Amino acid sequence: MRRVREMLKSNREKQLHRDIKQQLIVAGKVLVAEGQDDFTRGHISFRLPDNPDLFFMKAHSIGLDEITMQNILTIDLEGNVVAGAARRHSEVYIHSEILKARADVNCVIHTHPTYSVALSATGRTLKGYSQPGALFFESLGIYTDTINLIRSHAMGAGVARALGSNRAVLLKNHGVVVTGKTIEEAVVGTIMLENGAMVQLLAEAAGDPAPEFPRADLEKARHDISQPEQFKINFDYLARRVKRRGKQAANRVK
Amino acid sequence: MRRVREMLKSNREKQLHRDIKQQLIVAGKVLVAEGQDDFTRGHISFRLPDNPDLFFMKAHSIGLDEITMQNILTIDLEGNVVAGAARRHSEVYIHSEILKARADVNCVIHTHPTYSVALSATGRTLKGYSQPGALFFESLGIYTDTINLIRSHAMGAGVARALGSNRAVLLKNHGVVVTGKTIEEAVVGTIMLENGAMVQLLAEAAGDPAPEFPRADLEKARHDISQPEQFKINFDYLARRVKRRGKQAANRVK
Amino acid sequence: MRRVREMLKSNREKQLHRDIKQQLIVAGKVLVAEGQDDFTRGHISFRLPDNPDLFFMKAHSIGLDEITMQNILTIDLEGNVVAGAARRHSEVYIHSEILKARADVNCVIHTHPTYSVALSATGRTLKGYSQPGALFFESLGIYTDTINLIRSHAMGAGVARALGSNRAVLLKNHGVVVTGKTIEEAVVGTIMLENGAMVQLLAEAAGDPAPEFPRADLEKARHDISQPEQFKINFDYLARRVKRRGKQAANRVK
Amino acid sequence: MRRVREMLKSNREKQLHRDIKQQLIVAGKVLVAEGQDDFTRGHISFRLPDNPDLFFMKAHSIGLDEITMQNILTIDLEGNVVAGAARRHSEVYIHSEILKARADVNCVIHTHPTYSVALSATGRTLKGYSQPGALFFESLGIYTDTINLIRSHAMGAGVARALGSNRAVLLKNHGVVVTGKTIEEAVVGTIMLENGAMVQLLAEAAGDPAPEFPRADLEKARHDISQPEQFKINFDYLARRVKRRGKQAANRVK
């Protein structure tokens, strides 16, 4: 009886893991389709629901749009690979230290989108000049220790501290780290951060922008825009777009 | 005899409704092709010619390029769904209140295009730095009540007041609402507003722009550019481009 | 004998006209592929080598990428259509008046590219901040009479005066008019003007640009970049790109 | 015995040369796919490993994406064509003089990317506002002799002097020259330079950027980002993207 239950549990877990990996594959393709690619220099991770001390992570040496069921690594909160044969990103500590520090976070994305990097270089934070900007109202940390790659436990812990309880953190002159309870939330957040940064840089370049709306107004916008259901709806739309294109390509190459 | 007339009338109406829905489908694809997409967060509506207290509207949870004959809702001027099974956008009141206040308007579009949002954040209006800018000369309201989603009758009425008798209204730090007698007019207007905003932000970022042309000159340009026939010609061109691409895609996936 | 000679001459002319029309078709597709489209609001014309008082011109109501052998109009220097059934652009006078005033010009292009329009709005001319900028060194007029469409002989003559002996003229807050001895020269010039404008607006937005090179240096660059052979080589490359894409599309839709 | 050895050596050389030419073909397509095209006005060269006084170079009159096994020229360090029938770029001296002056450099790329040209026009160097910017920290020369084409030994030598021991050199108001030990390094460097320039121009346009990180931090970033292995991994990813597209196109045209 116990063995049967364990076997069933194991099958359910395997299916769960396959589903998550499948969603990471789609997430990577969505991020590239939305302009978040930078050679092979971006990553995404997701915590295992049935084992919160482990996470799946995109491998080194491939693009975000080249994730497969085979090259996803399983990594522990010290950054050690516990399953998978592919190479690990040296910046794994961004993921392990945030997942260690933030029990409420399951997904971590790190990319280098142009407008967000430029915003980080201004030394200013994201303002509420757009609804995507409002999503990050008083919820965007800034990490200013170094421009370098986050290649140690200590540096990863520094990023986690700069993140604090925020949704995301700008790595000054380097890139962004965006978190989510879900893959959908982190992906949509990453895309919205870049759009908010673009709106702000355009408005600031054109002269002194008008004042932001009052705090209470921005807090309400942040609340309304960050509904889990809405992240899913928006992600699913982008996923459908990617699949439509993929389908066309698949038929073309036959 | 009367029943026959009614049946014929009913058939004509059905065909009319099908034609309008078909044009909304094309309009949505044109808007996405021209960069007006923002996840599923944009909408378009059109008043029923044979029943001016009702309007068709894109449903929630889909992209502007995913409108179908099946998912278009029929909604009354209080925002109640009277036909259709899909989910209604919570911002329906933008449409219902404008269509209530403006008998001359049949089509309402709401999107969040990047340059227009950035322009709204500067606190300045669109200037006549381009012919698309001239289209909105003294015909662009600004709604400054809130950055939040327009989710009540009162807020929708506020947007309608800020619109006034203008062609469009900037929702500060949020997006645009563009109107038209026809779908073509609203779609072309939305695209031109974004181009006019881009020209202006570029010119302002590069230094003090030269003075605009005199009022009479801008008024004549606004008049000449806003000819109904020209909106149709320009929309039809974009529709042909979308159909050419769709045809290629359709043949690819066979 | 004379009739045979005339027939042969007529055959040669027909072939010449077909070749020119074919090149206008390609030129229109190249302009759209390079981002010079603006709905149906752009045009291109070319003077008949065997009858310099007539010119071929793209018709109204179509995009630059929709020119066909059938819809090209033949027009005289007063702007009257002498052959062809399609509708004439109301701005025909840009073409007729320039071709009247400038015997050295055979091709005229009018478009509304975003960066060039923004440059025109700054009230400054194009500087030698790039080699494309140098192509227009002291060879770019500015027409500042109106933002309106050029819909009369008098207005067209005004544009021709503002053009003077220059390569091109900015229509302030409206668009560009670029000329060439050949179609290739005008097309490449139009694309280079936009690139030069983009470089300048970016450099100016980022702060005070460094001084330009001395006049003699810019004059030499202008001379070297404006070699007829080079215009042809660059145009032919863009034409090959368009044809490669067209070939793929044609095969897809079979 | 000796003849056999020579024949084997010759076969190995032929294969080596074919492999290099094949990589130049891919490099050209990658550069165009990443936006480095400017008509036919860009070039790439690579030094023969078995004969360091000779180099392969893209021919005149074609785009960077039109390099074939047949049109690659073999050129000596004086700029003379020693093999190949295609036309030589008049700016060959950029390549010959740099390869003469820098024994550590094997690949030279010259293009005119918009943001890099705009940066050159500001008269400022690239700052460490991004990791791509850090790649060029204190390793970017500026050539300010002329805006003109580099069409003589003397001018090429001037560019080589302005390059010095740096990774790349901005040709003021003209373009960029980027070097590498390998094709991968030069291609990735060219793309990163443009991204770094874009980040900087955006940050500067939006107001006074925050200070850069200290010298030691930037030196470490420059070191870590410039690992040969990483250039290869990033280039290979872009090459796979180009091949995926090419495969789709090839199947479409069958």
Side-chain angles (χ1 to χ4, degrees), chain A residues 65-66 87 124 146-147 252, chain D residues 206 217 229 237 240 252:
Chain A
D65 51 350
E66 295 181 323
R87 183 169 166 189
R124 297 187 292 274
T146 177
I147 194 176
R252 279 200 297 270
Chain D
D217 202 57
E229 182 208 26
Y237 167 63
R240 287 195 299 275
R252 280 200 295 269

Side-chain angles (χ1 to χ4, degrees), chain B residues 128-131 195 202 205-206 209-211 213 217 220-221 229 233-234 237-238 240-241 244 248 251-252, chain C residues 37 39-41 60-61 63 65-66 87 114-115 117 121 124 144 146-148 172-174 201 205 249 252-253:
Chain B
Y129 294 150
S130 64
Q131 289 186 343
N195 185 252
L202 291 172
F213 283 102
D217 202 58
K220 175 163 172 41
E229 183 207 25
I233 287 170
N234 284 327
Y237 167 63
L238 298 183
R240 287 195 299 276
R241 298 219 299 195
R244 282 197 286 264
Q248 291 169 13
N251 278 277
R252 279 201 294 270
Chain C
D37 56 313
F39 304 100
T40 60
R41 293 159 34 79
H60 191 271
S61 309
D65 51 351
E66 295 181 322
R87 183 169 167 189
T114 304
Y115 288 91
V117 173
R124 297 186 291 276
T144 58
T146 177
I147 194 176
N148 274 281
K172 184 171 179 295
N173 299 3
H174 171 179
L201 291 170
R252 279 199 296 269
V253 297

Side-chain angles (χ1 to χ4, degrees), chain B:
Chain B
M1 253 324 251
R2 198 180 139 184
R3 282 187 59 190
V4 169
R5 269 205 309 265
E6 275 174 3
M7 202 182 70
L8 287 173
K9 180 165 178 271
S10 167
N11 280 342
R12 277 198 311 272
E13 274 177 7
K14 274 184 193 155
Q15 187 56 45
L16 176 67
H17 290 186
R18 274 196 297 268
D19 289 350
I20 293 170
K21 287 183 175 177
Q22 193 55 47
Q23 204 176 13
L24 285 172
I25 290 169
V26 173
K29 291 187 198 298
V30 164
L31 286 167
V32 171
E34 297 301 310
Q36 292 280 335
D37 57 314
D38 181 30
F39 304 99
T40 61
R41 293 158 35 77
H43 5 111
I44 180 169
S45 63
F46 190 73
R47 190 197 301 270
L48 273 63
D50 52 320
N51 194 339
D53 292 344
L54 297 179
F55 59 94
F56 288 139
M57 184 171 167
K58 168 197 172 280
H60 192 273
S61 308
I62 58 165
L64 279 162
D65 52 349
E66 295 181 322
I67 304 174
T68 65
M69 297 302 279
Q70 285 69 46
N71 62 23
I72 294 173
L73 295 171
T74 308
I75 301 180
D76 69 22
L77 295 186
E78 296 311 310
N80 302 308
V81 174
V82 300
R87 183 168 166 191
R88 193 195 62 173
H89 274 287
S90 63
E91 292 192 308
V92 65
Y93 305 106
I94 294 174
H95 303 262
S96 58
E97 293 298 323
I98 287 176
L99 292 173
K100 199 190 289 177
R102 287 277 300 271
D104 62 318
V105 164
N106 295 311
C107 184
V108 178
I109 292 174
H110 169 53
T111 56
H112 316 95
T114 304
Y115 287 90
S116 300
V117 173
L119 175 65
S120 83
T122 67
R124 297 187 292 276
T125 192
L126 190 64
K127 302 240 177 86
Y129 294 150
S130 64
Q131 289 186 343
L135 177 64
F136 294 92
F137 177 65
E138 294 187 349
S139 197
L140 182 65
I142 309 199
Y143 173 77
T144 58
D145 288 4
T146 176
I147 194 176
N148 274 281
L149 295 163
I150 308 301
R151 286 183 161 165
S152 70
H153 287 87
M155 294 173 85
V159 170
R161 273 194 303 276
L163 171 65
S165 59
N166 296 306
R167 173 178 295 282
V169 55
L170 294 179
L171 310 187
K172 184 172 180 293
N173 300 2
H174 171 180
V176 303
V177 178
V178 183
T179 70
K181 274 192 177 46
T182 62
I183 292 174
E184 293 96 330
E185 181 176 354
V187 168
V188 171
T190 305
I191 298 167
M192 283 195 166
L193 177 54
E194 178 70 351
N195 185 252
M198 184 173 176
V199 166
Q200 178 166 333
L201 291 170
L202 291 172
E204 289 179 345
D208 290 327
E212 293 171 273
F213 283 102
R215 161 185 300 268
D217 202 58
L218 284 165
E219 283 174 348
K220 175 163 172 41
R222 184 184 57 201
H223 172 269
D224 288 352
I225 298 168
S226 60
Q227 294 308 302
E229 183 207 25
Q230 200 57 39
F231 288 128
K232 177 160 174 32
I233 287 170
N234 284 327
F235 177 89
D236 286 350
Y237 167 63
L238 298 183
R240 287 195 299 276
R241 298 219 299 195
V242 157
K243 279 174 190 163
R244 282 197 286 264
R245 292 178 201 158
K247 204 173 176 183
Q248 291 169 13
N251 278 277
R252 279 201 294 270
V253 297
K254 266 172 201 166

Side-chain angles (χ1 to χ4, degrees), chain D residues 28-155:
Chain D
K29 291 187 198 297
V30 164
L31 286 167
V32 171
E34 297 300 310
Q36 292 280 335
D37 57 313
D38 181 31
F39 304 99
T40 61
R41 294 158 35 77
H43 4 111
I44 180 169
S45 63
F46 190 72
R47 190 197 300 269
L48 273 62
D50 52 321
N51 193 338
D53 292 345
L54 297 179
F55 59 93
F56 288 139
M57 184 170 166
K58 167 196 174 280
H60 191 272
S61 308
I62 58 165
L64 278 162
D65 51 350
E66 295 181 323
I67 305 174
T68 65
M69 297 301 280
Q70 285 69 46
N71 63 23
I72 294 173
L73 295 171
T74 309
I75 301 180
D76 69 22
L77 294 187
E78 295 312 309
N80 302 308
V81 174
V82 300
R87 183 170 166 189
R88 192 196 62 174
H89 275 287
S90 64
E91 293 191 308
V92 65
Y93 305 106
I94 294 174
H95 302 262
S96 59
E97 293 298 323
I98 287 176
L99 292 172
K100 198 190 289 178
R102 288 278 299 272
D104 62 318
V105 164
N106 294 312
C107 184
V108 178
I109 291 173
H110 170 52
T111 57
H112 315 96
T114 303
Y115 288 90
S116 299
V117 173
L119 175 66
S120 84
T122 67
R124 298 187 290 275
T125 192
L126 190 65
K127 302 243 177 84
Y129 293 150
S130 64
Q131 289 186 343
L135 178 64
F136 294 92
F137 177 64
E138 294 186 350
S139 196
L140 182 65
I142 309 199
Y143 172 79
T144 58
D145 288 4
T146 176
I147 194 176
N148 275 281
L149 295 162
I150 308 302
R151 286 182 161 165
S152 69
H153 287 88
M155 294 174 85

Side-chain angles (χ1 to χ4, degrees), chain C residues 29-245:
Chain C
K29 291 187 198 297
V30 164
L31 286 166
V32 171
E34 298 301 311
Q36 292 280 335
D37 56 313
D38 180 31
F39 304 100
T40 60
R41 293 159 34 79
H43 5 111
I44 180 169
S45 63
F46 190 73
R47 190 198 300 271
L48 273 63
D50 52 321
N51 193 339
D53 291 345
L54 297 178
F55 57 95
F56 289 140
M57 183 169 167
K58 168 197 173 279
H60 191 271
S61 309
I62 58 165
L64 279 162
D65 51 351
E66 295 181 322
I67 305 174
T68 64
M69 297 301 278
Q70 285 70 46
N71 62 24
I72 294 172
L73 296 171
T74 309
I75 301 180
D76 70 22
L77 295 187
E78 295 312 310
N80 302 307
V81 174
V82 300
R87 183 169 167 189
R88 193 195 63 173
H89 275 287
S90 63
E91 293 192 307
V92 66
Y93 305 106
I94 295 174
H95 303 261
S96 58
E97 293 298 322
I98 287 176
L99 292 172
K100 198 189 290 178
R102 288 278 298 272
D104 62 318
V105 164
N106 295 312
C107 185
V108 178
I109 292 173
H110 169 54
T111 57
H112 315 95
T114 304
Y115 288 91
S116 299
V117 173
L119 175 65
S120 84
T122 67
R124 297 186 291 276
T125 193
L126 190 64
K127 301 244 177 84
Y129 293 150
S130 64
Q131 289 186 342
L135 178 64
F136 294 92
F137 177 64
E138 294 185 351
S139 196
L140 182 65
I142 309 200
Y143 172 78
T144 58
D145 287 4
T146 177
I147 194 176
N148 274 281
L149 295 163
I150 308 302
R151 285 182 162 166
S152 70
H153 287 87
M155 295 173 84
V159 170
R161 274 193 302 276
L163 171 66
S165 60
N166 296 306
R167 173 176 296 281
V169 56
L170 294 178
L171 310 187
K172 184 171 179 295
N173 299 3
H174 171 179
V176 304
V177 177
V178 183
T179 70
K181 273 191 176 49
T182 62
I183 292 174
E184 293 96 330
E185 181 176 353
V187 168
V188 172
T190 304
I191 298 167
M192 283 195 167
L193 178 54
E194 178 70 352
N195 184 252
M198 183 172 177
V199 166
Q200 178 166 332
L201 291 170
L202 291 172
E204 289 178 347
D208 289 328
E212 293 172 272
F213 283 101
R215 163 186 298 267
D217 202 57
L218 284 164
E219 283 174 347
K220 177 163 171 41
R222 182 184 59 201
H223 172 269
D224 288 354
I225 298 167
S226 60
Q227 294 308 301
E229 184 209 24
Q230 199 57 39
F231 288 129
K232 179 163 173 29
I233 287 170
N234 284 327
F235 177 88
D236 286 351
Y237 167 63
L238 297 183
R240 287 195 300 275
R241 298 219 299 194
V242 157
K243 280 174 190 162
R244 281 197 287 264
R245 291 178 202 159

